[in-house]
Amino acid sequence: VEDTKASLSADEQFLMMLKEKCSMTDKEWEERQKTRQLEMEAVSKALAVLSGDDAHDLFGRTFNPALAQISSSAALSRRQQASLVLKAAAERFHSPKLAALAYRVRLDAFTRVKQAIDELMAQLAKDKAAEIKHKDF
């Protein structure tokens, strides 16, 4: 009988601690959800301001076409020319290696963009896993 009472007491203590921990976790979760909602509202407001007529008018008045980046189009043109030369050589010599190189040269312009997207996706996956782990804990 004493063992049962001791076991019951230990189980009740564990239950109280578990309920307390769960309530704290739920409060933290609700706080994070509220924060996320506020962040989303702030971003929506910022987008509304930036895409409004006043912002377009201001941009139109302050835009200086002399500052536009032109060298990128020249590099792109050279990249396309190199890709075409490699592609023609690949067809003439029936070389799959040259064809692959021509393809890589043509797509190389997006390397940094793809890398940034991959890094962002990895970070989002880590954040998601941490959030789920924290919620499950």
Side-chain angles (χ1 to χ4, degrees):
V1 175
E2 289 181 22
D3 290 339
T4 305
K5 287 183 182 181
S7 176
L8 179 63
S9 175
D11 288 344
E12 287 175 346
Q13 277 186 327
F14 177 74
L15 180 62
M16 287 176 32
M17 287 182 3
L18 186 61
K19 284 183 180 180
E20 183 179 320
K21 186 174 183 180
C22 286
S23 68
M24 287 183 359
T25 304
D26 286 342
K27 287 177 186 177
E28 290 173 358
W29 174 257
E30 288 175 19
E31 185 177 325
R32 284 196 307 273
Q33 291 295 346
K34 287 179 186 178
T35 303
R36 297 287 184 267
Q37 185 64 29
L38 291 173
E39 288 173 351
M40 288 173 45
E41 288 174 13
V43 168
S44 296
K45 287 179 183 178
L47 284 174
V49 167
L50 291 174
S51 63
D53 291 335
D54 293 338
H56 287 288
D57 292 341
L58 180 62
F59 178 72
R61 287 190 309 244
T62 59
F63 177 68
N64 185 354
L67 298 177
Q69 182 177 358
I70 298 171
S71 64
S72 176
S73 62
L76 179 63
S77 176
R78 280 186 254 129
R79 185 182 311 273
Q80 288 174 343
Q81 289 174 353
S83 176
L84 290 174
V85 168
L86 287 170
K87 183 178 176 186
E91 289 174 359
R92 188 170 43 163
F93 296 116
H94 304 289
S95 171
K97 290 182 180 181
L98 282 177
L101 182 60
Y103 185 72
R104 279 185 47 201
V105 166
R106 187 168 47 114
L107 292 182
D108 192 41
F110 296 104
T111 302
R112 284 182 279 177
V113 173
K114 290 189 291 186
Q115 181 182 5
I117 289 172
D118 289 341
E119 289 172 1
L120 179 62
M121 293 296 288
Q123 183 62 39
L124 288 173
K126 286 179 187 175
D127 291 347
K128 179 182 176 184
E131 187 84 19
I132 290 171
K133 184 178 179 181
H134 186 72
K135 177 66 177 159
D136 289 344
F137 185 66

